[in-house]
Amino acid sequence: MEELDTLIIKRAYYVLGISIAGLSLIMLNWLGLSSIMFNVMTIKRIVLGAVYYIVPMATAMAGFAITQLPATFLLSRFGNRVSMFLGLLLNGISLIFSATDSYHMALFLRFLAGMGLGLYLIPSLLLILGWWSIRGLTRWVQVAYLSSITILIPLSSLLTMGMARSTAIYLGVASLVLAILVLFTTKDAVIIRKISMVAVMNNPDILILSIAFSIPWGVYLSLFPLIMQLSNYLGIMELTIPMAITPLLYRFRHSVKTEKRTALLYLTIGLGVLVALMGISNTWEFILAPVGLMFTLILLLILYMVNDLVSPILIAQSTGYLLTVSSIIGSIIGIITGYSVQYLGTLGWIVIGALFAASSIFYRILKVTL
């Protein structure tokens, strides 16, 4: 029995390691290469402006959005590995052909990158939790995997700023190899069957949270390509490093006695004020750190509320639905951000800040529906 337990633990570590490796390749592509697409792909004959730097990220968000619900379907019908395999496969194809000089082909590859993340993220998390729940260590592994996500956000953004074309191709090959390993060397540990998506989609609270979160989600991601073109490593670090403290915030989450809806209301308004100040202040680089911190707090509060609103068996579907709606609307918000900054300048940043303030009204609606 002890030998069997040892084998299970070794297998669980293998699943955890290979899942984080796959997530690393996907995050490097989805977040980093979307932001520096013009540095990597040398696209010519395009007059570059704020909009053209944001469009690749918005395209990746759209690809991410449309695969959230299909990933849940694949998970419930075929298990974790199939969806993860397809995610790594699309990610590898996107990376291998990333040396294209065609603008529209490049956008299509960004779309594939988003699909790769959408197919991979939740099934990989559930696969890991399934293996580790055998030994009652689910909470520790959940924190470890979520920590890897938050750490990969700043790392992938920084690493890809100096990435060459050949490096992206090698990463694509690695993604394809890893896809095969996932399919043939891991074993499904969590298969959720016969869970109706209608039960999630008919929940008005999840829908309202998704719409409210879409503006912070869309603007935060659209800031990546803008900062990479207007600033340097310091700006990206300021915006992303607060995400790395998520495990610490998760650890002391019960110490905060403020009601979640109230906290979301004021954090959203505060984030809108900071975004508006970015267009007014000449030293907006100093605003990036509190922007990153406020977004991190909003993200955590949104996830906590989803956890409170649904039963544990519906967490995966509810989170997928949240990210689907938020990413669809958020990709549109990202484009609006680009046009506002490019053509309105300071006024554009104020318009985006006003959108934040207006979105906080959804939390008051949520208070009525609960």
Side-chain angles (χ1 to χ4, degrees):
M1 182 64 68
E2 290 182 359
E3 291 181 358
L4 180 60
D5 288 346
T6 302
L7 289 174
I8 290 175
I9 288 296
K10 288 182 178 179
R11 189 70 171 176
Y13 273 117
Y14 173 77
V15 171
L16 178 62
I18 201 171
S19 298
I20 292 178
L23 182 66
S24 301
L25 292 171
I26 288 177
M27 291 295 286
L28 281 168
N29 187 13
W30 180 72
L31 185 60
L33 295 187
S34 286
S35 301
I36 60 161
M37 188 181 73
F38 297 97
N39 294 344
V40 174
M41 300 179 184
T42 317
I43 296 173
K44 302 177 181 179
R45 300 181 299 276
I46 297 291
V47 178
L48 301 181
V51 174
Y52 291 103
Y53 291 117
I54 289 179
V55 166
M57 179 61 77
T59 305
M61 287 178 65
F64 175 74
I66 70 165
T67 50
Q68 285 298 297
L69 298 183
T72 302
F73 173 81
L74 290 172
L75 174 67
S76 64
R77 295 295 184 272
F78 305 106
N80 311 72
R81 293 175 299 161
V82 172
S83 183
M84 291 170 63
F85 166 76
L86 292 175
L88 287 168
L89 182 65
L90 293 177
N91 184 68
I93 294 172
S94 173
L95 284 167
I96 288 174
F97 293 99
S98 63
T100 179
D101 288 328
S102 168
Y103 175 73
H104 295 96
M105 180 64 178
L107 291 182
F108 175 69
L109 294 174
R110 294 300 89 220
F111 187 77
L112 292 184
M115 292 181 66
L117 178 64
L119 289 168
Y120 186 89
L121 187 59
I122 292 180
S124 65
L125 176 60
L126 291 177
L127 177 67
I128 293 171
L129 296 184
W131 272 99
W132 282 93
S133 63
I134 298 172
R135 294 296 295 253
L137 298 173
T138 303
R139 180 61 59 84
W140 176 84
V141 177
Q142 180 182 10
V143 173
Y145 192 65
L146 293 177
S147 298
S148 70
I149 296 174
T150 58
I151 292 171
L152 282 170
I153 290 176
L155 281 181
S156 60
S157 302
L158 294 173
L159 290 175
T160 51
M161 290 184 74
M163 186 177 293
R165 288 188 178 195
S166 58
T167 305
I169 295 173
Y170 293 142
L171 290 175
V173 173
S175 184
L176 296 180
V177 172
L178 200 61
I180 297 173
L181 288 176
V182 166
L183 187 62
F184 291 104
T185 66
T186 61
K187 183 179 180 181
D188 290 316
V190 175
I191 301 178
I192 302 175
R193 296 186 180 277
K194 298 180 180 178
I195 299 298
S196 174
M197 280 302 303
V198 176
V200 175
M201 297 174 70
N202 285 341
N203 188 326
D205 298 322
I206 304 299
L207 177 60
I208 290 173
L209 282 175
S210 303
I211 296 172
F213 181 60
S214 62
I215 294 180
W217 181 231
V219 173
Y220 179 77
L221 290 178
S222 66
L223 287 176
F224 280 85
L226 287 176
I227 292 170
M228 284 185 174
Q229 300 304 322
L230 301 175
S231 186
N232 49 29
Y233 286 94
L234 179 61
I236 291 298
M237 291 177 64
E238 286 184 286
L239 187 65
T240 57
I241 282 180
M243 292 292 289
I245 67 173
T246 300
L248 181 64
L249 296 174
Y250 182 86
R251 170 66 178 80
F252 295 101
R253 66 192 185 281
H254 297 303
S255 301
V256 180
K257 303 303 181 182
T258 305
E259 201 270 336
K260 294 185 181 69
R261 289 186 296 268
T262 302
L264 277 171
L265 174 67
Y266 290 115
L267 281 170
T268 303
I269 294 175
L271 187 56
V273 171
L274 288 177
V275 170
L277 288 176
M278 289 179 64
I280 300 173
S281 174
N282 293 325
T283 57
W284 58 269
E285 290 88 351
F286 297 104
I287 302 176
L288 292 175
V291 166
L293 178 60
M294 282 195 175
F295 175 79
T296 300
L297 294 174
I298 289 173
L299 174 61
L300 284 172
L301 286 171
I302 290 288
L303 294 178
Y304 292 160
M305 290 195 70
V306 171
N307 185 71
D308 292 340
L309 288 170
V310 300
S311 63
I313 199 171
L314 290 175
I315 288 296
Q317 291 84 350
S318 299
T319 304
Y321 182 53
L322 170 82
L323 294 174
T324 297
V325 176
S326 298
S327 296
I328 291 173
I329 301 176
S331 62
I332 298 172
I333 295 297
I335 299 297
I336 293 174
T337 300
Y339 275 106
S340 298
V341 172
Q342 180 170 329
Y343 296 109
L344 299 179
T346 299
L347 181 60
W349 289 106
I350 296 175
V351 168
I352 299 302
L355 279 177
F356 268 100
S359 69
S360 65
I361 194 174
F362 285 102
Y363 301 123
R364 296 189 179 277
I365 300 173
L366 180 67
K367 187 175 182 178
V368 173
T369 60
L370 284 176

